[in-house]
Amino acid sequence: MRSVPFISCLALLFSMASCREAAPKNGAQEGTPGPMAHALGFQLDNSGPYPVLAVTRPWPNAKKTFRYAFIPKDSMAGHDHAAAQYDAVVGTPVENLVVTSTTHIPALEALGGLTRLKGFPDTKYISSMPARELIAKGDIKELGQNERLNVEMVLELRPDAVVGFAMDANNASYELLSKAGIPVLYNGDWTEQTPLGKAEWIKFFGVLLGKEDQADRIFKDISANYRHIKELAKEAKGMPTVLSGALYKDVWYLPAGESWAAQFIRDANARYLWEDTQGTGSLSLSLESVLEKGREAEFWISPSQFKSYAGMAEANEHYQQFGAFHSKNIHTFSATVGPTGGLLFYELGPQRPDMILKDLVHIFHPELLPDYQPFFFKPLQ
């Protein structure tokens, strides 16, 4: 994700070029949105003269489904009635784009669409090197903060679309942009509950950039890689126990049993000690309860912001009571940062769950991937 408070980061972690008439995809009936293979937050209807995206989960507990039509610019005049039917109508091809979350950047990069990105709030959080080069040249403008987007600067850019990241329905900047005639599209990739569900949102950008086929191919490759690594993990002889999270003040935050973080551990053929708990976000527990259950856990992953054992011991001496601390089996993604300090796990991780899973399989079952060098997760120093 992009700039959010530490506690919100924990919760979130655990938590077309021309008109066409195409056959309905994914078994959809004519005129109805087609479901995705894994993503639950959006659907694509390709059965009419132009693509229509329906975003059903722009944020948690959203009451409204947002429908966006993508109409070729040279055909817009013939579809004047469309504006009344949809929450936004985007003229394609999209050549001038604003996005608002770092999770959007890897999809644009993979689809060759970074040069269409003209503005971003809090550019310092972007880690992608190609994007940073564009920022350095002034091709991607700084637009303030997502919660306080600089509306005047966005209007000066006159983007074909703004891809919004929102925690709820209250965003005055987006409302002003919509009233000014700028299409605002909500992207809810972060609300997905499974690793592949998050990754499938590349298809959202495939429609936006007019590269649906390429987006489909990229996602199929990621999905196939993920399944292959998951099957490899099943060959392991043992199933180690795993602890996660850390204290924030007096509360220990760790993934709930139905979260995407917990699924990574299951798919890596390890036993997450809180796998039987309900919820897709984070659990809030006491140190005593975590110690009671997790003291003998063989591995400890994602220990909050910590990068070293010395730092953990200094922050709270009770961390030293855990077996994984003494056996030096703690692994963190906090040490893998971009050139400006942004965490690559939050930016690239949702797009590449296959890489995260491979990291974890190597950690839990090193004999299966003996020569592999993890990308996101590194041993605590």
Side-chain angles (χ1 to χ4, degrees):
M1 307 293 293
R2 41 176 308 276
S3 173
V4 288
F6 166 71
I7 189 63
S8 298
C9 281
L10 280 175
L12 291 180
L13 167 62
F14 303 138
S15 45
M16 298 6 180
S18 61
C19 286
R20 60 198 186 274
E21 287 196 50
K25 294 186 177 180
N26 298 315
Q29 298 296 314
E30 183 176 354
T32 63
M36 297 293 105
H38 296 272
L40 300 178
F42 77 106
Q43 300 172 334
L44 174 61
D45 181 5
N46 258 334
S47 63
Y50 45 77
V52 175
L53 272 175
V55 176
T56 57
R57 297 186 182 183
W59 50 78
N61 303 314
K63 305 299 183 184
K64 173 183 169 62
T65 293
F66 293 83
R67 300 178 71 243
Y68 308 124
F70 297 82
I71 303 176
K73 291 175 181 176
D74 57 9
S75 301
M76 292 283 277
H79 296 283
D80 294 336
H81 62 285
Q85 300 179 48
Y86 303 104
D87 294 285
V89 175
V90 180
T92 58
V94 171
E95 298 166 345
N96 189 334
L97 182 64
V98 168
V99 304
T100 54
S101 171
T102 56
T103 61
H104 305 159
I105 302 298
L108 294 178
E109 184 175 341
L111 293 169
L114 271 181
T115 56
R116 307 192 203 185
L117 180 59
K118 304 303 178 183
F120 186 90
D122 280 332
T123 56
K124 64 184 179 183
Y125 291 104
I126 295 177
S127 296
S128 159
M129 285 306 300
R132 295 233 57 88
E133 292 173 3
L134 292 170
I135 293 168
K137 291 193 296 184
D139 293 340
I140 299 177
K141 305 296 184 184
E142 172 64 59
L143 298 178
Q145 298 177 327
N146 187 53
E147 298 79 7
R148 293 183 295 276
L149 200 63
N150 190 317
V151 174
E152 291 184 0
M153 291 188 67
V154 176
L155 291 176
E156 288 179 6
L157 292 176
R158 298 303 302 176
D160 295 322
V162 172
V163 178
F165 160 78
M167 302 293 289
D168 53 41
N170 302 312
N171 193 302
S173 298
Y174 294 161
E175 291 177 10
L176 289 172
L177 291 172
S178 294
K179 290 178 180 178
I182 305 295
V184 176
L185 318 179
Y186 288 109
N187 181 293
D189 57 1
W190 63 282
T191 69
E192 293 292 336
Q193 299 171 8
T194 65
L196 289 175
K198 293 178 183 291
E200 196 165 16
W201 278 80
I202 192 172
K203 296 179 181 179
F204 174 103
F205 289 97
V207 177
L208 190 64
L209 300 178
K211 296 188 175 185
E212 290 180 57
D213 291 341
Q214 184 179 352
D216 285 342
R217 289 194 300 271
I218 291 172
F219 177 72
K220 285 178 180 177
D221 287 344
I222 292 170
S223 180
N225 289 341
Y226 192 96
R227 290 195 303 270
H228 172 74
I229 299 162
K230 181 179 176 180
E231 289 302 311
L232 176 66
K234 293 179 181 179
E235 298 178 11
K237 296 179 180 179
M239 182 181 289
T241 52
V242 180
L243 162 71
S244 188
L247 286 166
Y248 178 71
K249 296 184 178 178
D250 294 326
V251 179
W252 192 300
Y253 293 95
L254 68 168
E258 298 170 315
S259 66
W260 77 302
Q263 182 172 335
F264 272 123
I265 299 172
R266 284 194 299 273
D267 290 348
N269 197 17
R271 187 167 73 88
Y272 177 50
L273 293 174
W274 285 265
E275 63 186 2
D276 294 331
T277 58
Q278 296 181 342
T280 59
S282 61
L283 303 174
S284 305
L285 304 178
S286 67
L287 169 63
E288 292 74 18
S289 67
V290 176
L291 256 175
E292 182 180 357
K293 181 175 285 192
R295 186 191 300 267
E296 301 304 324
E298 296 167 74
F299 291 92
W300 184 349
I301 64 167
S302 307
S304 186
Q305 78 279 12
F306 294 111
K307 301 178 183 179
S308 70
Y309 290 95
M312 291 188 73
E314 182 179 354
N316 194 308
E317 62 181 10
H318 295 296
Y319 287 137
Q320 299 175 75
Q321 298 182 49
F322 290 90
F325 188 100
H326 285 287
S327 61
K328 298 295 187 288
N329 269 340
I330 305 179
H331 298 260
T332 180
F333 59 74
S334 293
T336 305
V337 299
T340 55
L343 292 176
L344 285 169
F345 186 88
Y346 289 129
E347 179 173 316
L348 180 59
Q351 181 66 53
R352 294 304 306 270
D354 54 329
M355 294 171 63
I356 294 176
L357 185 61
K358 197 168 186 179
D359 280 8
L360 294 178
V361 171
H362 171 79
I363 290 168
F364 302 146
H365 313 290
E367 74 280 2
L368 297 179
L369 295 166
D371 299 322
Y372 176 68
Q373 295 296 319
F375 181 83
F376 294 108
F377 284 92
K378 306 293 171 58
L380 218 64
Q381 298 299 308

